[in-house]
């Protein structure tokens, strides 16, 4: 996946166009647009999953069975597939509850970003 294919897929899933530059930036810095990434263990023993590196302590149920609040109501493995709908819906939930700064890479994406118009 690349910036434009992610932007088009997210648009097809109903993500507002004025957010796509931010989402593609986050995906670039979190996972290099790779869907199958499980990040290294965090300080609290949790891991981050998928294209948006969504944390398993709060948002999805880890395959280990370790406790999770599982706010998105899904298995973390659902965030590792090339079908990004689960990742997008869960990331939107994270955004609605915690804002863009929930992603540690947000500082790369909070200023001027190149337009995604060329992708459409």
């Amino acid at each position: 996946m690349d910036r434009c294919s992610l932007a088009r897929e997210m648009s097809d899933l109903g993500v507002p166009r004025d957010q796509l530059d931010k989402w593609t930036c986050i995906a670039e810095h979190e996972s290099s647009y790779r869907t199958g990434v499980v990040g290294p263990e965090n300080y609290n023993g949790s891991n981050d999953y998928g294209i948006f590196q969504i944390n398993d302590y709060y948002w999805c149920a880890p395959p280990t069975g370790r406790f999770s609040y599982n706010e998105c109501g899904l298995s973390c493995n659902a965030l590792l597939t090339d079908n990004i709908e689960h990742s997008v819906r869960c990331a939107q939930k994270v955004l609605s509850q915690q804002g863009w700064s929930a992603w540690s890479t947000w500082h790369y994406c909070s200023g001027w970003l190149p337009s995604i118009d060329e992708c459409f």
Side-chain angles (χ1 to χ4, degrees), residues 86-105:
H86 289 300
S87 292
V88 169
R89 299 294 175 235
C90 190
Q92 287 177 309
K93 186 166 195 153
V94 174
L95 176 63
S96 73
Q97 291 188 21
Q98 296 186 347
W100 294 109
S101 62
W103 284 273
S104 62
T105 57

Side-chain angles (χ1 to χ4, degrees), residues 38-50:
V38 177
E41 192 171 288
N42 296 309
Y43 73 92
N44 63 357
S46 67
N47 292 92
D48 302 322
Y49 287 77

Side-chain angles (χ1 to χ4, degrees), residues 1 6 9-10 12-15 35 51-52 54 72 74 78-93:
M1 188 165 303
L6 176 61
E9 252 187 270
M10 291 186 77
D12 289 347
L13 290 168
V15 175
T35 57
I51 194 165
F52 299 115
I54 293 172
C72 291
L74 48 76
L79 303 174
L80 300 177
T81 70
D82 288 338
N83 176 346
I84 63 167
E85 185 168 6
H86 289 300
S87 292
V88 169
R89 299 294 175 235
C90 190
Q92 287 177 309
K93 186 166 195 153

Side-chain angles (χ1 to χ4, degrees), residues 1-3 6-7 10 20-35 37 50-53 84 100 103 105-106 109:
M1 188 165 303
D2 62 23
R3 183 173 186 262
L6 176 61
M10 291 186 77
L20 295 177
D21 58 346
K22 296 171 188 67
W23 285 120
T24 56
C25 180
I26 288 170
E28 176 186 3
H29 291 282
E30 290 287 348
S31 68
S32 300
Y33 305 110
R34 294 173 299 150
T35 57
V37 176
I51 194 165
F52 299 115
Q53 289 294 278
I84 63 167
W100 294 109
W103 284 273
T105 57
W106 173 241
C109 307

